[in-house]
Amino acid sequence: MRFLTAGESHGPQLTTIIEGVPAQLPLTADDINAELARRQGGYGRGRRMQIEKDQVQILSGVRHGFTTGAPITFVVENKDWKNWTKIMGAEPITEQEEQKMKRKLTRPRPGHADLNGAIKYGHRDMRNVLERSSARETTVRVACGALAKVLLKAVGIEVAGHVREIGGIKAKDIDYTSVLDLRNRSEASEVRCVDKEASEEMKKAIDQAKQDGDSIGGVVEVVVEGAPIGLGSHVHYDRKLDGKIAAGVMSINAFKGVEIGIGFEAARLPGSQVHDEIEWSEDKGYTRKTNRLGGFEGGMTNGMPIVVKGVMKPIPTLYKPLQSVDIDTKEPFAAGVERSDSCAVPAASVVCENVVAWEVANAVMETFGSDQLAVLQAAIKQHNDAAKEF
Ligand code: EPS
């Protein structure tokens, strides 16, 4: 499967076209909208989320509630567009009109794509960079992930995400019985954190950051349960699924690090405390006594839950801006201030969940690829039965 996304933060709409989805998959706009609503929530979001009510329009590839095998088009409208039609319009405008609108950005925000993108693409107005580098784009990446989740669910794979850390406040390690349990408990928290005490502390930290005109980041975690053994491959670097997941997570706006399983902690422990001992039972087949490697050995899934963490840096748009330089005058200035969120980590956990879901669904299609859902389901069942007895 593959997809492209298009659209600017304050343009008319966001669009994605997804190709390679098997036919006969039951799919409705509600499946996608539920995920879009989750992404819009979370403590610490700014005023933009009160303007938008993200709803998908399915414009191709689905008929009477089932995928047809043809490319699927999702469109999500930007309600804010009506306030930006002139500023963001495709039609030429005069210099006087541009000056009157006062929305030209010439003071790049440290940590944002503004300056590098402007130099690279030759834009004197860095709005041309900002509009596309905005995390608004994650709306349609989540729409793709929502579709991936529907496909995964149909083959017995569940995905959940939660927040482990915000602004230096860490959640206690939690015991969860299943991915569904993890999902229900994180869903009940405004910061998507299953530790209730830590949730309250995180909210206070977000309030403080907002009051200070500052922003804070954090750590999110995604767990995938039910993946068959052998998604990805050891035979070539670009077929390793842990590598693809890491690339997907790293590509989310503001993400600066990825860990699989215990991740960086593996550097500090002896091998006997890192690798997971192998067991076999008639009921479950091959399993591991622990899951420190987060479901991966040799770039392939080993049947244990996939566990991925991602680090989000604080959002670079600050109401108390850092020092920058005006690209017209080269004089030092405070960076530009745009409306923004003081913390988007809870929303980012939903994005991360959907990005990981896409990579896993894609690996399922690569390994068991089929044009029809029922054939895919049969192939996975046969593989799972054989792996148990192997
Ligand atoms: C963003 C800035 C804010 C966020 C936006 C990401 O938008 P605005 O400039 O319109 O206030 O709300 O996120 C979304 C719109 C979204 O849907 O997540 C940025 O600069 O990255």
Side-chain angles (χ1 to χ4, degrees):
M1 299 192 295
R2 56 197 168 138
F3 71 93
L4 282 177
T5 74
E8 279 76 37
S9 181
H10 304 99
Q13 65 181 43
L14 297 151
T15 308
T16 182
I17 298 180
I18 309 161
E19 205 274 322
V21 180
Q24 316 302 347
L25 179 71
L27 186 73
T28 65
D30 285 350
D31 295 323
I32 310 298
N33 288 338
E35 244 5 80
L36 297 183
R38 292 179 70 229
R39 193 201 69 94
Q40 286 203 276
Y43 203 80
R45 294 286 253 158
R47 286 192 312 276
R48 175 77 186 271
M49 287 306 104
Q50 286 148 29
I51 301 172
E52 303 298 339
K53 288 277 165 296
D54 293 338
Q55 299 272 302
V56 76
Q57 291 176 60
I58 304 179
L59 297 185
S60 74
V62 181
R63 184 159 179 255
H64 301 159
F66 291 89
T67 57
T68 63
I72 296 172
T73 309
F74 290 149
V75 160
V76 179
E77 147 191 338
N78 286 322
K79 293 218 184 301
D80 210 10
W81 158 247
K82 64 176 185 299
N83 305 315
W84 293 77
T85 47
K86 196 92 188 192
I87 302 167
M88 289 301 296
E91 291 305 310
I93 55 165
T94 62
E95 221 164 278
Q96 289 93 313
E97 279 177 306
E98 193 183 0
Q99 269 167 13
K100 225 168 85 195
M101 289 187 301
K102 291 199 180 84
R103 294 315 297 247
K104 192 171 168 189
L105 187 76
T106 57
R107 295 172 192 173
R109 295 160 296 171
H112 225 287
D114 303 343
L115 183 58
N116 307 329
I119 292 172
K120 179 175 166 67
Y121 289 95
H123 294 308
R124 299 304 308 175
D125 180 359
M126 291 183 292
R127 176 156 301 285
N128 288 324
V129 179
L130 172 167
E131 285 290 335
R132 182 61 186 160
S133 67
S134 165
R136 177 81 186 138
E137 189 264 355
T138 61
T139 309
V140 275
R141 278 188 88 184
V142 166
C144 293
L147 165 69
K149 279 186 177 182
V150 172
L151 178 60
L152 291 176
K153 198 181 178 65
V155 297
I157 303 172
E158 293 284 350
V159 186
H162 64 120
V163 169
R164 291 201 68 123
E165 195 174 325
I166 287 181
I169 293 153
K170 291 184 185 169
K172 284 194 294 286
D173 275 338
I174 35 122
D175 278 327
Y176 50 89
T177 53
S178 67
V179 159
L180 296 180
D181 174 41
L182 183 61
R183 185 186 301 159
N184 291 338
R185 287 162 63 188
S186 59
E187 215 67 12
S189 157
E190 280 180 278
V191 284
R192 300 199 165 278
C193 171
V194 293
D195 176 345
K196 286 189 182 143
E197 268 172 49
S199 289
E200 290 311 308
E201 292 303 311
M202 288 172 183
K203 278 164 61 182
K204 279 188 210 154
I206 294 169
D207 290 342
Q208 189 62 49
K210 194 170 179 183
Q211 205 181 314
D212 297 344
D214 218 325
S215 60
I216 47 177
V219 179
V220 304
E221 184 175 77
V222 178
V223 183
V224 183
E225 211 169 56
I229 295 172
L231 296 181
S233 176
H234 65 289
V235 303
H236 204 245
Y237 72 90
D238 60 357
R239 293 181 60 189
K240 296 187 185 206
L241 180 56
D242 46 4
K244 289 183 187 178
I245 289 176
V249 172
M250 195 64 124
S251 76
I252 304 169
N253 310 53
F255 274 58
K256 298 300 277 184
V258 189
E259 289 186 320
I260 308 269
I262 60 170
F264 275 55
E265 193 56 29
R268 300 170 204 125
L269 295 168
S272 56
Q273 287 172 45
V274 169
H275 300 289
D276 305 301
E277 289 184 304
I278 301 172
E279 293 181 312
W280 185 88
S281 72
E282 210 162 311
D283 174 32
K284 293 185 177 153
Y286 295 96
T287 52
R288 304 292 184 276
K289 278 190 196 167
T290 50
N291 187 26
R292 295 181 285 226
L293 295 184
F296 278 101
E297 287 162 307
M300 287 170 283
T301 48
N302 62 9
M304 297 298 285
I306 297 172
V307 183
V308 186
K309 285 197 204 74
V311 178
M312 185 191 199
K313 70 177 178 180
I315 285 173
T317 308
L318 303 178
Y319 282 98
K320 257 194 213 152
L322 296 175
Q323 192 179 307
S324 180
V325 170
D326 190 301
I327 60 165
D328 286 346
T329 64
K330 310 290 187 285
E331 297 281 325
F333 270 108
V337 179
E338 286 275 323
R339 181 182 56 190
S340 190
D341 313 308
S342 42
C343 177
V345 175
S349 83
V350 177
V351 177
C352 194
E353 213 181 295
N354 281 284
V355 163
V356 171
W358 173 268
E359 294 302 335
V360 176
N362 212 18
V364 165
M365 286 302 290
E366 258 173 39
T367 310
F368 303 100
S370 150
D371 299 321
Q372 290 183 40
L373 180 66
V375 181
L376 179 72
Q377 287 167 323
I380 294 176
K381 186 178 182 312
Q382 194 185 16
H383 169 85
N384 285 343
D385 290 347
K388 224 189 242 186
E389 295 305 318
F390 184 82

